Amino acid sequence: MAQRIDTKDLNIYYGDFLAVQDVTMTVDPKSVTAFIGPSGCGKSTFLRTLNRMHEVIPGARVEGSVELEGVDLYGDDVDPVAVRRNVGMVFQRPNPFPTMSIKDNVLAGVKLNNRRISRSDADDLVERSLRGANLWNEVKDRLEKPGSGLSGGQQQRLCIARAIAVRPQVLLMDEPCSALDPISTLAIEDLIGELKQEYTIVIVTHNMQQAARVSDRTAFFNIAGTGKPGRLIEMDDTATMFSSPSQQATEDYVSGRFG
Ligand SMILES: Nc1ncnc2c1ncn2[C@@H]1O[C@H](COP(=O)(O)OP(=O)(O)O)[C@@H](O)[C@H]1O
Ligand SMILES: [Mg+2]
């Protein structure tokens, strides 16, 4: 239930603007990979190419390849909707459907994918997904209540439950804790530590301590100046990236000396 990702010579464009240049990287299955780097260096852009959400923006396109277990996600016969089911995404701001019940929020992705399921299968899936997201005990007595009644941290775990309900292989998270308080942040970090046993996880974070705490590997992206493309500077085991990176720019960034 976890797949390896390989990008090769990936160039990412918005129209004529080259936003991210020439990224070749491997993301290991059943592990957490953190993307770090200054604002605007293309972390979110790169992340969205890993499940073909980038091309939803008019004029947006890629050159190069992204492979999931050796299969090119941009191949001619690949259905982008199937890719997005297989490679789930969790966003910066928790975005449950506010008027929908907690239960229906968990099932939303499954229903969007037109899968018909019986009521008892749906109940099982809701429980399993909420347990997987470490939220079950907090919401099991109010499954019919709206998702908007939950705290920010609970809403983010609800979004994670919704993402895993469709049984993806990969989970992409774009700054999933940036709108959360420290306690909720720790709950999400603990959850990420558990989820990596089953999924390939990529997390974008601005929080160096968070990258150090949750990830096995870290990729540092940087940008030479406004209007220039973002590039992958280096990627290594997280401990190495934070103690003895091979590039000066990485050292400067992780130690807080940048600009
Ligand atoms: N929808 C978009 N249309 C055009 N340019 C965009 C769009 N989204 C991001 N960009 C540009 O792409 C570059 C990388 O942005 P982004 O991926 O958001 O960086 P990060 O997530 O590292 O802060 C920036 O120059 C940004 O202005
Ligand atoms: Mg971003």
Side-chain angles (χ1 to χ4, degrees), residues 232-245:
L232 174 63
I233 303 303
E234 69 179 300
M235 178 169 186
D236 210 328
D237 291 341
T238 296
T240 305
M241 287 289 279
F242 282 90
S243 61
S244 49

Side-chain angles (χ1 to χ4, degrees), residues 11-221:
N11 288 311
I12 313 173
Y13 293 87
Y14 293 99
D16 293 335
F17 174 55
L18 176 60
V20 179
Q21 184 170 27
D22 210 19
V23 178
T24 296
M25 78 155 65
T26 294
V27 174
D28 296 328
K30 298 200 178 190
S31 72
V32 179
T33 298
F35 290 174
I36 61 170
S39 275
C41 70
K43 304 176 299 295
S44 297
T45 297
F46 182 76
L47 195 72
R48 288 192 297 263
T49 65
L50 304 182
N51 74 346
R52 295 193 58 169
M53 276 188 52
H54 175 66
E55 70 208 49
V56 171
I57 297 159
R61 64 194 170 84
V62 303
E63 288 168 356
S65 67
V66 180
E67 293 183 355
L68 206 60
E69 287 294 321
V71 176
D72 186 357
L73 290 189
Y74 290 84
D76 286 340
D77 49 358
V78 174
D79 173 8
V81 176
V83 171
R84 290 172 206 138
R85 185 164 53 224
N86 202 21
V87 183
M89 191 136 185
V90 174
F91 300 89
Q92 196 165 351
R93 300 224 152 250
N95 57 350
F97 299 108
T99 58
M100 228 183 239
S101 70
I102 291 169
K103 178 180 168 182
D104 286 342
N105 262 288
V106 176
L107 294 173
V110 181
K111 290 186 173 163
L112 269 180
N113 284 310
N114 281 328
R115 266 178 44 202
R116 293 177 164 277
I117 47 174
S118 69
R119 178 172 299 199
S120 70
D121 283 351
D123 288 345
D124 284 350
L125 182 60
V126 167
E127 177 169 346
R128 203 162 353 105
S129 305
L130 287 169
R131 282 190 189 282
N134 269 344
L135 187 59
W136 174 251
N137 287 331
E138 290 158 66
V139 301
K140 61 175 191 267
D141 298 322
R142 47 171 167 156
L143 295 175
E144 304 298 337
K145 298 271 164 53
S148 55
L150 301 175
S151 73
Q154 289 172 328
Q155 288 187 21
Q156 195 59 301
R157 279 178 285 146
L158 178 59
C159 293
I160 293 171
R162 180 176 67 192
I164 62 182
V166 298
R167 300 170 198 271
Q169 309 279 335
V170 179
L171 273 181
L172 309 176
M173 302 188 177
D174 196 350
E175 301 188 47
C177 301
S178 63
L180 305 182
D181 63 72
I183 304 281
S184 304
T185 296
L186 283 182
I188 300 282
E189 289 181 5
D190 284 348
L191 173 57
I192 290 170
E194 289 170 24
L195 292 173
K196 79 171 182 183
Q197 295 170 36
E198 278 187 74
Y199 303 95
T200 305
I201 297 181
V202 183
I203 177 174
V204 175
T205 179
H206 272 119
N207 180 329
M208 295 299 122
Q209 285 78 24
Q210 175 164 78
R213 282 193 297 261
V214 303
S215 73
D216 302 293
R217 308 251 308 155
T218 296
F220 171 59
F221 291 81

